[in-house]
Amino acid sequence: LYAVTLGLNEQTKGAEMYAAIQWLQQLVGNKKILACGVPLSPAFGRMDYCRISSDIALTWEDIRLSIGIRYRERVSTINALRSTINRAFLNHRAFVNDPDVFILRKKEQALQPIQQRTLYLINQALGGLIFTSDFIGDYDPETMRLYLQQFPLRTKEIIDIYQDGDTGWFIFQNREMIYLLVFNLTKSSKTLPLPDGQWINKNGISQRSDQLAAFETKVYLKDGRAIPQFLFSDGHIFPGMEIEKIECPKGQIFFDLHRDIRLKNIELIFQVSPDFMEYEINGVNLVTEVWNGKRVVRTNSY
């Protein structure tokens, strides 16, 4: 869309772009617009959805474009991720953010699996409009499970963000659940400081710092220090977003899964009082165990 300003000298380029967007709005009436390749400021409050990054590449970086041509808005996966992170605050304020596509397929691309996962998680956490360029019919069972773990799609509210070059973290919230996503976009392993609190994932509890491999991203759920409480599940890339409702009457936990969940045989872990050797979950008495130093009960939902 920026091409509307090429070769015109009647007004400033900003004014020309603003007039073009007004013209597009008149053409479409009450239909929605996804703007792509548009300067962002003229689109504020006027486009329904807007691309906020460059195109991703089929590699992490195209050296010819980054070093040879030095093109800022080049086709580049890491370049797209930088824009997605830096422009996250625009989502649902200026428009709904479109961070370009994620790629999970194994064919016809050169991204490493860990790079694909990082692209997938950051787009899901910070994007308001999610696309893939894959033909999902070619996915193997493991890739299909990862793809289906995005459902149900939930709105995320960004609470805080920390960056140190191409590493950092951001905190976001859905309902009462608070999440931490820690990212390392560099080609070296990094130790990153974490915000205050206890942060839980399937590998344990982190408090002050965490070690990330090159290109790695990790997702944590904040320990609410409540008993009983939900701790972990494998039905969603952001554990707990597949749960619609949790109720905890004395000595019991009842939960309902969201109707848009796409997976079966999901494992869920709840923390309970250390005094319990059994606990009732959805009307079934289950034996408790110790997990990451906490007394928990595991259950499967089919």
Side-chain angles (χ1 to χ4, degrees), residues 125-144:
L126 299 182
L129 188 63
I130 307 299
F131 286 111
T132 182
S133 61
D134 293 346
F135 174 61
I136 66 173
D138 284 341
Y139 284 170
D140 60 27
E142 181 183 5
T143 306
M144 179 59 79

Side-chain angles (χ1 to χ4, degrees), residues 146-206:
L146 178 60
Y147 173 80
L148 293 177
Q149 280 180 303
Q150 68 182 294
F151 301 108
L153 298 173
R154 297 278 198 178
T155 301
K156 297 95 178 173
E157 178 187 357
I158 303 298
I159 298 174
D160 196 9
I161 189 164
Y162 162 81
Q163 277 186 272
D164 182 8
D166 283 331
T167 65
W169 49 257
F170 44 89
I171 301 172
F172 58 95
Q173 184 169 0
N174 174 263
R175 298 163 296 165
E176 72 280 2
M177 296 182 184
I178 298 176
Y179 298 86
L180 174 69
L181 189 147
V182 188
F183 61 89
N184 175 20
L185 306 184
T186 76
K187 59 183 179 181
S188 303
S189 63
K190 299 285 184 180
T191 300
L192 274 67
L194 300 183
D196 292 340
Q198 286 194 351
W199 302 95
I200 304 167
N201 70 6
K202 64 180 179 181
N203 296 317
I205 299 173
S206 293

